[in-house]
Amino acid sequence: MVRGIALVLAAAALCAPGTAAAAADPVPPVMAALGDSISAGFNACGWYVVCTSRSWSAGDSAEVGSHYLRLTAISPAVKGHNFNFAVPGSTSAGLAAQAARAVAARAAYVTILIGAQDACVATEAGMTPVATYRANLDRAFATLATAGVRVFAASIPDLRRLWRIGKDNIVARSFWTIGHICPTMLAGAASKAKKDQARRARVRERVQDYNEQMAAACAAYGPSCRYDGGAIFSYPFTLDHISKWDFFHPNTAGQRALAGATFGRGFPWEQDTLTRAPLVVAP
């Protein structure tokens, strides 16, 4: 009940009369990606490497069709003004520092996707408390507010779905075990024991709690923030979207799916019909 009320209030705040929900926004001259390994494009193009060019947010690869490229297609003036401050392995505790870097770089628009690493720890007890997660978000949003930065806030992917689509794949299970990848959710992936099922359910609930707090923090930021409405959390991704280097991070197809699922849920950017270039996303 609390979760439902929170999401309804967040949505109402974004759509209430007097906000900029229906008005077009000027295309930002500079943008930046904030978050963790997902936004950094980790493992999207090679063995355990950062591949920012394939980031769903600030990447410049036509194979992905990122927010940056979509903005450039609307206003070519954005070209070359993309930064990626996302840090692989980062938790919400590191978000404020990334926000400060974005402000220093004069980014007028940022995307935020953070929280998977707050849940993907060795034990449930080690997961970031929900109140701490929210406090970390608030510090980052406060930093961005000093420069009037527009924010696109993304939901965390459904980690239990990752377990579900990979649990019967022996290669995926091997990577998860050997690499100690997201033990709270993926340890003992083949187990059907009630205690393991309950553990996975609790971790999923924690991710949902984080997503509620992101929605609420975005609503509190005001009309200069857009939340994805749970688009990433509810996206029906498959193993075809997951890197075969670790069976955890999005590959190129996964990054492309993230970009496509989120951009339309953001700001109604002004269309420059004189200079707009067609966006071509490689198949």
Side-chain angles (χ1 to χ4, degrees):
M1 179 66 71
V2 174
R3 175 175 291 116
I5 292 173
L7 292 179
V8 168
L9 290 176
L14 290 177
C15 299
T19 71
D25 296 284
V27 176
V30 181
M31 74 151 298
L34 310 183
D36 54 28
S37 53
I38 296 177
S39 294
F42 189 77
N43 272 1
C45 65
W47 177 264
Y48 281 73
V49 295
V50 170
C51 193
T52 55
S53 66
R54 298 190 188 182
S55 165
W56 67 277
S57 170
D60 59 9
S61 170
E63 293 183 82
V64 172
S66 66
H67 281 221
Y68 162 66
L69 285 184
R70 291 166 191 262
L71 289 173
T72 302
I74 298 171
S75 174
V78 186
K79 186 175 178 62
H81 301 139
N82 55 321
F83 294 91
N84 197 320
F85 299 126
V87 179
S90 180
T91 67
S92 59
L95 189 60
Q98 295 180 28
R101 294 185 67 189
V103 170
R106 299 186 178 182
Y109 171 67
V110 302
T111 66
I112 298 176
L113 172 51
I114 195 81
Q117 295 301 322
D118 289 87
C120 285
V121 289
T123 65
E124 286 184 75
M127 293 191 297
T128 302
V130 176
T132 302
Y133 179 81
R134 175 57 187 273
N136 291 337
L137 295 184
D138 287 342
R139 280 192 290 274
F141 276 102
T143 298
L144 296 170
T146 63
V149 180
R150 294 190 181 276
V151 179
F152 179 84
S155 54
I156 305 161
D158 186 349
L159 298 175
R160 193 171 68 175
R161 180 176 179 83
L162 176 63
W163 165 77
R164 183 177 294 118
I165 65 174
K167 65 183 176 62
D168 296 323
N169 185 305
I170 189 172
V171 179
R173 294 202 310 267
S174 296
F175 269 97
W176 295 344
T177 300
I178 295 171
H180 301 287
I181 297 173
C182 198
T184 46
M185 178 61 72
L186 303 176
S191 173
K192 297 180 181 179
K194 289 185 177 180
K195 65 181 182 64
D196 290 317
Q197 294 180 32
R199 166 176 53 83
R200 295 176 196 124
R202 289 191 298 270
V203 175
R204 185 177 192 264
E205 184 175 1
R206 180 60 61 91
V207 170
Q208 290 177 296
D209 289 341
Y210 292 160
N211 284 338
E212 283 182 14
Q213 294 306 314
M214 180 63 82
C218 183
Y221 192 77
S224 289
C225 184
R226 294 289 186 275
Y227 178 60
D228 77 353
I232 292 182
F233 180 80
S234 61
Y235 190 83
F237 62 87
T238 69
L239 285 182
D240 289 337
H241 296 106
I242 305 301
S243 171
K244 300 308 182 288
W245 301 124
D246 61 5
F247 284 85
F248 183 77
H249 291 92
N251 58 17
T252 299
Q255 293 284 348
R256 181 166 61 245
L258 293 177
T262 57
F263 189 76
R265 293 176 178 269
F267 296 93
W269 303 112
E270 291 179 352
Q271 304 294 305
D272 186 340
T273 56
L274 295 179
T275 60
R276 185 178 182 183
L279 173 67
V280 177
V281 179

